[in-house]
Amino acid sequence: MTVMLNAPVPGAPTAPLPGSRGLPPRRSRVAATAWAIAAALVVLAAAGTLQISWSDLPSVPGQVAHYLRLMFEAPNWEKLPRALFETWRSISMAWIGAMLCVAVSIPLGMLAANGVGPLWVRALLRGIFAVLRAVPEVIIALVLLTVTGLTPLTGALALAIAGIGTQGKWVYETVESAQEGAVEAVRAAGGTTADVTRWAIWPAVAPALLSFALYRFEINIRTSAVLGLVGAGGIGSMLSNYTNYRQWDTVGMLLIVVIAATMLMDAVSGAIRRRIMNGSR
């Protein structure tokens, strides 16, 4: 009598097939496909309402190359001294705007953080920050022009006011992400909210907030050139004037100065930020 060692025992459970053990059910891709189709329809609707002349697109690269050649083939360096002076005014405007923004946003941002300010203060400040973030710097500058006139002060105030919204949000998010150990230690020792802010929160978040302040200065340098286009002074006003007069060789020189100054300020500010965050390493 022959015994089959591998024969299944009647009534015993059948083992699952290899490769099918523990596999979760396949997720449906209907929702993802529907969202992708909806996004594509929105893009098509936006493109259709812009009244774009698609037949002109093939000529765009040639026109861009033509104007780049007019600007950079032989830049006019006669206006370089004035361009450097206006660039310095733009940098000064950006620096004053950054300092005013930081001086206001740090205390207000800390009050807007959970555990520091009361609920009604947090809600009010966060609402103000959201409104300021929604208004572009150019709009604020246009409103201030009626009060301060066509001066660099207009640009500095516009940069300061517009930056408070973003800077305040960075401040309270940084405070809320700080370690809780020092805060609990100060509270356990009987410290008030002011003591907690001074001796626990501020030492923990100061390097990050100083880094954000320098980053605000970098942003203001770029934005100051745009504000000059609406008459806020600086290199942007000079660039707007020569663009309107179609003096492309001078425009090319101004763009070179703007790019060089921006890259230089970014390098210096970035080195200082790395020193603040990483120490002397």
Side-chain angles (χ1 to χ4, degrees):
M1 177 177 168
T2 304
V3 179
M4 299 181 63
L5 298 178
N6 296 328
V9 179
T14 305
L17 296 176
S20 64
R21 181 178 301 174
L23 290 179
R26 180 175 295 181
R27 296 180 59 182
S28 175
R29 300 184 61 85
V30 175
T33 304
W35 279 109
I37 294 174
L41 292 176
V42 170
V43 172
L44 291 176
T49 56
L50 290 179
Q51 298 180 354
I52 299 175
S53 179
W54 300 103
S55 60
D56 296 337
L57 289 181
S59 62
V60 170
Q63 295 178 3
V64 171
H66 171 69
Y67 284 105
L68 288 177
R69 186 165 54 252
L70 291 177
M71 288 187 290
F72 299 111
E73 189 174 32
N76 181 15
W77 298 101
E78 295 179 0
K79 302 293 183 180
L80 180 60
R82 184 188 169 195
L84 294 177
F85 175 73
E86 294 296 336
T87 302
W88 170 250
R89 295 181 69 181
S90 294
I91 294 174
S92 302
M93 184 169 59
W95 180 253
I96 294 174
M99 291 299 99
L100 292 175
C101 169
V102 170
V104 175
S105 62
I106 286 182
L108 294 183
M110 296 186 74
L111 283 175
N114 292 326
V116 179
L119 178 60
W120 68 272
V121 173
R122 298 200 305 266
L124 177 63
L125 290 176
R126 295 190 182 199
I128 294 174
F129 293 156
V131 171
L132 292 178
R133 288 196 304 271
V135 182
E137 291 88 348
V138 176
I139 303 300
I140 297 177
L142 290 175
V143 174
L144 292 175
L145 282 175
T146 60
V147 180
T148 57
L150 299 175
T151 63
L153 177 62
T154 302
L157 292 177
L159 293 173
I161 295 173
I164 289 174
T166 304
Q167 202 76 14
K169 180 179 176 63
W170 289 346
V171 170
Y172 72 72
E173 288 183 347
T174 303
V175 171
E176 291 176 351
S177 63
Q179 297 294 331
E180 296 290 339
V183 175
E184 295 176 355
V186 175
R187 290 192 185 279
T192 62
T193 302
D195 295 328
V196 170
T197 304
R198 171 63 182 86
W199 301 107
I201 296 178
W202 175 252
V205 302
L209 297 186
L210 293 177
S211 176
F212 286 145
L214 289 171
Y215 186 53
R216 170 55 51 187
F217 173 58
E218 296 178 14
I219 296 174
N220 284 357
I221 289 178
R222 299 180 181 90
T223 311
S224 62
V226 179
L227 293 181
L229 300 178
V230 297
I235 191 67
S237 296
M238 190 176 179
L239 184 62
S240 175
N241 293 334
Y242 283 99
T243 302
N244 292 333
Y245 288 110
R246 302 294 190 269
Q247 298 185 18
W248 301 114
D249 52 351
T250 305
V251 171
M253 181 272 296
L254 294 175
L255 290 177
I256 293 174
V257 172
V258 169
I259 294 172
T262 303
M263 293 178 64
L264 178 61
M265 291 296 102
D266 284 353
V268 174
S269 178
I272 297 175
R273 283 193 292 112
R274 287 190 295 271
R275 180 65 179 263
I276 291 174
M277 298 301 295
N278 302 326
S280 59
R281 294 177 298 176

